[in-house]
Amino acid sequence: MKRDYYEVLGVGKEATLDEIKKAYRRLAMQFHPDQNPGNKEAEEKFKEAAEAYSILSDPAKRQHFDQFGFASQGGQGQNFQFDPNQFAGFEDLLGSFFGGGGGGIFADLFGGGGRRRSGGGERGSDLQYNMRISFKDSIFGVEDKEIEIPRQDACDTCKGSGCAAGTSAQVCPNCRGNGQVAVRQGFLQMAVTCPRCEGRGQIIPSPCPSCRGAGRVNRRTKVRFKIPAGVDQGQRLRLQGEGEAGTGGGGAGDLFILFDIENDPAYERDGFDLHRKQEVSWPLLVLGGNLPAETPYGTETVKIAKGTPADKVIKVPNAGVPRLRSQGRGDLFLHLRVAVPTRLGAQEEALVRQLLEPGVDGQPAEEGFLAKVFGSDKGKKKKKR
Ligand SMILES: [Zn+2]
Ligand SMILES: [Zn+2]
């Protein structure tokens, strides 16, 4: 018959999470397999406490248990399965209690949870490289970029094992591979990191001469990759396995390239759209016609309709930034700006003066004609001509 979880932990039904944690820690200490080698009963008690804790420390599971008891787990509770996600919780709990470096003990108990430290090695660190690139490179991408970064790489001589040729690492005899040893302090037993192997659970009897057993060496390494077309300010590119080498067979970390994009004098980016100012002569706005407009992909001819307002924004479809992870590009928006000539030849000046001469009804021609160009309200209200 299975014991009630509250009974197992020795707490009341109203116990707070903190009380539940404390009760579990006390039991975990007492029945820890490391402190009770070969004691099957202690191991059972330890598992029982761990199971009770896994349920009562989870508010949803606890509520379910309060309501339905063991029926909630199907039958008599014999089929109870540990949620593997609980391992991390256990390790963290014990880590904070035993002063870091748990893992091995639980891996032993529960048949490995992925984070086993003893003998399993550690994954290398992730690295980040800040990369400033030109606006042009952000639009078109770079097919083959090469950078050189300082990082810890696996030692070539020992291929990262840290062992001299023909030898291999051995299970630490001091902690039997657990990475931790029990130390008695008064009447308390504490698990501390094994001083012989420093928690690795392994020792290297004859270290590799190149890396002195570290398995890794510092060096400057060239890394090549592709900058995708359309990358934006602050985006990160992940290069899997290009971070630092792991130890003892643990995989390499990742390298993240963080992009910082130089401003462009002409273009402003907004998502995948681009904006730029476009100078245009007012006669072209008045009469309409073709306007050659610069885009990142070359010059495009943009049609200007007759009587286009001077502050119009013209969309050039598909002339924006390439969309990352999909097809096509954003759009380019041309914000029109009337080009006013500062120097006029005698003939040109005469022509402009003619435009300012009073019209047939005594109103300056400007009211009807130039207003179309410059968008004057006055001109819109008075429809004289
Ligand atoms: Zn080496
Ligand atoms: Zn050891």
Side-chain angles (χ1 to χ4, degrees), residues 155-163 208-217:
C155 169
D156 288 331
T157 311
C158 62
K159 302 276 174 280
S161 74
C163 304
C208 161
S210 302
C211 61
R212 276 176 267 144
R216 302 190 291 186
V217 286

Side-chain angles (χ1 to χ4, degrees), residues 267 274-276 294-296 314-316 319-320 330-334:
Y267 295 100
L274 289 175
H275 295 260
R276 75 183 299 251
E294 189 198 310
T295 81
I314 294 177
K315 180 165 120 176
V316 187
D331 304 318
L332 168 64
F333 292 90
L334 300 171

Side-chain angles (χ1 to χ4, degrees), residues 282-283 341-359 363-367 369-370 385:
W282 62 262
T342 48
R343 262 191 234 160
L344 292 175
Q347 209 185 352
E348 293 159 318
E349 188 167 331
L351 276 169
V352 176
R353 283 197 187 284
Q354 265 184 31
L355 291 171
L356 290 172
E357 276 165 16
Q363 292 288 328
E366 183 190 4
E367 285 297 308
F369 188 64
L370 291 184
R385 277 164 47 112

Side-chain angles (χ1 to χ4, degrees), residues 136-288:
K136 190 170 161 266
D137 283 352
S138 77
I139 301 288
F140 292 99
V142 179
E143 201 52 45
D144 189 9
K145 188 81 187 174
E146 187 179 88
I147 56 170
E148 199 180 274
I149 54 164
R151 77 176 180 199
Q152 290 211 304
D153 279 349
C155 169
D156 288 331
T157 311
C158 62
K159 302 276 174 280
S161 74
C163 304
T167 71
S168 59
Q170 286 172 8
V171 172
C172 172
N174 195 39
C175 61
R176 287 171 294 129
N178 282 325
Q180 292 189 324
V181 286
V183 174
R184 191 170 281 280
Q185 263 187 2
F187 56 87
L188 262 184
Q189 271 202 344
M190 305 278 284
V192 298
T193 302
C194 171
R196 174 98 187 256
C197 64
E198 292 170 331
R200 283 186 287 271
Q202 284 190 339
I203 52 163
I204 293 172
S206 20
C208 161
S210 302
C211 61
R212 276 176 267 144
R216 302 190 291 186
V217 286
N218 283 315
R219 67 159 75 123
R220 295 190 66 85
T221 308
K222 290 195 168 90
V223 179
R224 297 168 80 145
F225 56 95
K226 176 184 169 174
I227 299 178
V231 70
D232 204 353
Q233 177 70 23
Q235 285 183 327
R236 294 204 309 176
L237 178 69
R238 180 174 169 215
L239 303 175
Q240 210 171 349
E242 290 288 2
E244 298 208 305
T247 56
D254 298 332
L255 171 64
F256 291 91
I257 309 285
L258 177 68
F259 291 103
D260 179 24
I261 293 156
E262 282 169 17
N263 283 328
D264 186 87
Y267 295 100
E268 242 176 77
R269 180 170 174 170
D270 176 21
F272 293 110
D273 292 334
L274 289 175
H275 295 260
R276 75 183 299 251
K277 290 187 180 127
Q278 174 69 50
E279 291 220 320
V280 56
S281 73
W282 62 262
L284 185 61
L285 295 176
V286 175
L287 304 171

